[in-house]
Amino acid sequence: MDTIALHPIEASTLAPQVDLLFYALLAFSFGLGIFLTVLVVGYAVKYRRGSGADRSGEQSRNTLVEIGWTSATGLMALGIFFWGASLFLERDHPPAGSLEIQGIGKQWMWTFEHANGRREINELHVPLETPVVVSLSSEDVIHSMFVPAFRMKMDAVPGRVTKLWFQPTRAGTYDLFCAEYCGTQHSEMRGHVVVMPQQDFAAWLAAAPSEQSLVTQGQSLFRALGCSGCHGPSATVHAPNLEGLFGHPVGLANRETKIADEAYIRDSILQPQKDVVAGFDPIMPSYQGLMTEDDLGKLVAYIKSLSPTGGAP
Ligand code: CUA
């Protein structure tokens, strides 16, 4: 950047909205600050030593003014709250049909993997004008993916999947930071987001060095790790069928019902005793520590693909 800007470039649909709220709050604070300063100075002059101001201390009330200013400032505070809350909710809910990318933080780099298997390190290519959701996880400690130009920041938490979404509005290369102190090289855990026109992105994605798609890699893992021995069609062990599972409700042994989303599937692989499916014995071993976040993401992608109708993010 050659010029000093008041704020980073606005490169996502959310950015101008966040900035508007920020400047509105700033203007409100300035207005209030000036108003209070005028009162302080004004009264200091009025009641200076030797002035003829009335100091009798007589009580005077104006109920109308009291109700007026209390409700006016109360409504203003509520208005700011709802304004902020609506932006927060929008930030938290990726639109259906967003382009999904897996992102993993680890000491000290970001890795990203696209659905067709193309991976990148400390770089993330995304198409212009398309909603993108990054499913974030962490290999070790808490990291936080921060793209100032998108006004978006989301923690990558070990053992959990969090979602960061944005819709880029201008092509270019933008900074990507880790915004959570994660060890000695935290400050070097940075990269770039490259926003490309849609055709360019499609060409870039297709130029993947002949890697298999996430689903295909997940399917190989499913066999290699022995999952298919129990959950496959020819299994002799009594284990839940995974076809058509994703996105649908599951009845559990403790009579609760859960939707089989990504978090549920991850938990079932890592902590199988947590949500035992009704009618099944708790015999599945835990895979905690036996696979990387990367592998876990692929397995989840494969299990999702077994349920084409429930696969909306
Ligand atoms: Cu990763 Cu700080």
Side-chain angles (χ1 to χ4, degrees), residues 39-105:
L39 286 186
V40 168
V41 172
Y43 281 119
V45 171
K46 185 177 177 191
Y47 291 103
R48 70 188 184 281
R49 188 155 66 166
S51 77
D54 177 17
R55 288 180 164 84
S56 62
E58 187 191 322
Q59 298 274 329
S60 69
R61 292 188 66 153
N62 186 332
T63 317
L64 213 62
V65 170
E66 276 184 30
I67 293 176
W69 77 258
T70 309
S71 46
T73 45
L75 283 175
M76 265 168 142
L78 271 180
I80 290 168
F81 167 75
F82 280 111
W83 188 357
S86 73
L87 276 184
F88 186 81
L89 287 175
E90 183 179 340
R91 188 206 75 142
D92 236 28
H93 289 85
S98 300
L99 177 74
E100 274 203 72
I101 297 171
Q102 304 213 348
I104 298 173

Side-chain angles (χ1 to χ4, degrees), residues 125-263:
H125 288 74
V126 290
L128 193 57
E129 305 292 357
T130 309
V132 176
V133 49
V134 182
S135 294
L136 276 176
S137 55
S138 166
E139 209 58 272
D140 35 48
V141 299
I142 303 179
H143 304 274
S144 184
M145 181 174 166
F146 180 34
V147 186
F150 297 161
R151 308 293 188 275
M152 268 293 181
K153 176 157 64 177
M154 181 52 74
D155 280 5
V157 184
R160 236 200 255 180
V161 172
T162 49
K163 309 243 175 200
L164 171 138
W165 87 271
F166 51 83
Q167 180 165 336
T169 50
R170 50 182 289 168
T173 301
Y174 306 105
D175 287 321
L176 159 69
F177 297 109
C178 177
E180 181 75 54
Y181 180 69
C182 55
T184 47
Q185 289 172 51
H186 156 72
S187 62
E188 285 159 47
M189 189 169 164
R190 49 193 295 178
H192 292 105
V193 178
V194 182
V195 178
M196 314 166 92
Q198 286 168 9
Q199 346 38 309
D200 295 4
F201 175 77
W204 176 88
L205 196 61
S210 70
E211 277 182 271
Q212 294 175 310
S213 74
L214 287 193
V215 170
T216 315
Q217 294 182 55
Q219 191 174 17
S220 316
L221 279 170
F222 194 72
R223 264 184 267 110
L225 291 165
C227 315
S228 54
C230 297
H231 294 281
S234 56
T236 50
V237 178
H238 184 51
N241 180 14
L242 305 180
E243 302 263 339
L245 167 71
F246 188 83
H248 295 103
V250 186
L252 303 180
N254 63 6
R255 297 179 182 207
E256 279 178 35
T257 303
K258 275 202 173 175
I259 298 289
D261 56 8
E262 282 168 30

